[in-house]
């Protein structure tokens, strides 16, 4: 069964728009769990544009399913992550000006830094996931680095939605990457830009275990509520 991990960053984005206390991403995460989320994901960014340090501490204390913390390789972020007690760490690239995470981690280039930071993140039992574009050389580097998971970046697939040929091409790249990862002993997650319309084909990819979905669920919940939004997404991924 595919597991749905719900990213609560956008709830924090709305709160930060007024620098107040509402909507509370912790209460929202707990409601998401009650509605059937199998895990909660958040991204502590260097610029703290949405999730704050105290949110991660509170989520760790209260999330009962699984807490997946997305982090860049910045030393401050890695030190925070190592102390956080998260169940899973997804390492992502981060650029100050981007609207959301653009592109996967260049694992080939970052191999020396990964060798430095992975032992600390693993010290309290956290699993390591590397967010990568569906490129075989990145998958091979992730296996060599000793990651537990790769999270396949589905942004190019989602972005190609209106062009059937391009979409099929991206889906084929994702499938090849998933097969290669599995053959190398890596577990496979996927995420970015997924919604009710495009998620089915990603859920049907070989070996995929977890989907990380944020924007589409939070946006849909604004209309239909958390229970319906999560129920619909679970139905769409067949879980
Ligand atoms: N996975 C990773 C690594 C991400 O950085 C993000 C965006 O924060 C997501 C999944 C979720 O993307 P979306 O909000 O488009 O569902």
């Amino acid at each position: 069964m595919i597991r749905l991990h719900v990213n609560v960053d956008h709830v924090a984005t709305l709160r930060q728009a007024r620098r107040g206390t509402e909507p509370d991403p912790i209460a929202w995460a707990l409601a998401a769990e009650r509605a059937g989320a199998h895990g909660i994901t958040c991204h502590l960014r260097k610029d703290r544009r949405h999730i704050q340090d105290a949110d991660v501490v509170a989520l760790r204390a209260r999330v009962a399913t699984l807490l997946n913390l997305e982090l860049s390789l910045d030393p401050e972020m890695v030190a925070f992550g190592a102390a956080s007690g998260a169940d899973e760490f997804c390492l992502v690239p981060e650029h100050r000006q981007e609207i959301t995470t653009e592109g996967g981690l260049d694992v080939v280039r970052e191999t020396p830094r990964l060798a430095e930071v992975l032992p600390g993140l693993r010290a309290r039992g956290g699993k390591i996931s590397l967010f990568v574009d569906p490129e075989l050389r990145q998958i091979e580097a992730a296996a060599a680095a000793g990651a537990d998971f790769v999270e396949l970046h589905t942004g190019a697939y989602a972005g190609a939605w209106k062009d059937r040929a391009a979409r099929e091409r991206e889906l084929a790249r994702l499938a090849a990457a998933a097969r290669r990862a599995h053959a190398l002993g890596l577990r496979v997650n996927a995420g970015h830009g997924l919604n009710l319309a495009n998620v089915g084909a990603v859920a049907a990819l070989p070996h995929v275990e977890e989907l990380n979905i944020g924007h589409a669920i939070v946006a849909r919940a604004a209309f239909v509520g958390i229970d319906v939004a999560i129920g619909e997404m679970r139905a769409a991924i067949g879980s």
Side-chain angles (χ1 to χ4, degrees):
M1 184 194 74
I2 301 215
R3 298 185 297 280
L4 175 62
H5 288 187
V6 176
N7 184 314
V8 300
D9 294 350
H10 290 290
V11 181
T13 298
L14 194 52
R15 178 194 61 191
Q16 294 308 107
R18 291 287 168 93
R19 302 281 189 274
T21 56
E22 290 183 327
D24 175 13
I26 290 69
W28 205 93
L30 301 182
E33 285 187 311
R34 286 194 297 275
H38 301 107
I40 299 297
T41 295
C42 67
H43 182 176
L44 183 69
R45 295 185 69 105
K46 180 90 173 162
D47 62 13
R48 308 302 199 274
R49 68 173 69 159
H50 39 54
I51 292 290
Q52 308 296 304
D53 303 38
D55 294 327
V56 181
V57 173
L59 285 168
R60 174 59 299 169
R62 303 199 53 198
V63 163
T65 51
L66 176 150
L67 181 64
N68 174 33
L69 178 59
E70 294 179 5
L71 295 169
S72 72
L73 285 171
D74 179 276
E76 182 205 355
M77 298 294 108
V78 170
F80 181 91
S84 71
D87 301 296
E88 214 170 292
F89 299 100
C90 182
L91 296 172
V92 300
E94 200 173 289
H95 309 290
R96 282 292 176 103
Q97 302 306 325
E98 68 191 358
I99 292 175
T100 180
T101 311
E102 290 168 356
L105 189 68
D106 187 346
V107 183
V108 175
R109 196 169 59 106
E110 297 290 8
T111 291
R113 256 205 306 171
L114 286 165
E116 278 171 34
V117 309
L118 294 199
L121 289 175
R122 278 216 168 91
R124 294 176 64 182
K127 295 262 187 286
I128 306 293
S129 176
L130 304 180
F131 185 54
V132 293
D133 290 323
E135 292 173 9
L136 299 187
R137 66 191 193 102
Q138 297 294 346
I139 306 289
E140 284 152 14
D148 300 290
F149 293 89
V150 279
E151 179 173 329
L152 299 178
H153 190 328
T154 51
Y157 158 75
W161 185 246
K162 291 188 179 146
D163 176 342
R164 186 171 175 175
R167 183 171 87 211
E168 294 299 326
R169 244 189 342 266
E170 290 301 330
L171 209 49
R173 288 177 73 213
L174 288 164
R179 286 200 187 90
R180 186 77 184 125
H182 180 73
L184 292 169
L186 289 162
R187 298 169 69 185
V188 182
N189 299 336
H192 212 285
L194 298 178
N195 57 36
L196 283 175
N198 67 20
V199 77
V202 173
L205 287 169
H207 313 300
V208 170
E209 293 187 34
E210 297 168 2
L211 296 179
N212 277 295
I213 307 181
H215 186 265
I217 292 176
V218 174
R220 182 82 179 132
F223 286 99
V224 298
I226 302 175
D227 287 0
V228 173
I230 290 180
E232 285 176 343
M233 191 59 81
R234 279 194 53 176
I237 67 176
S239 87

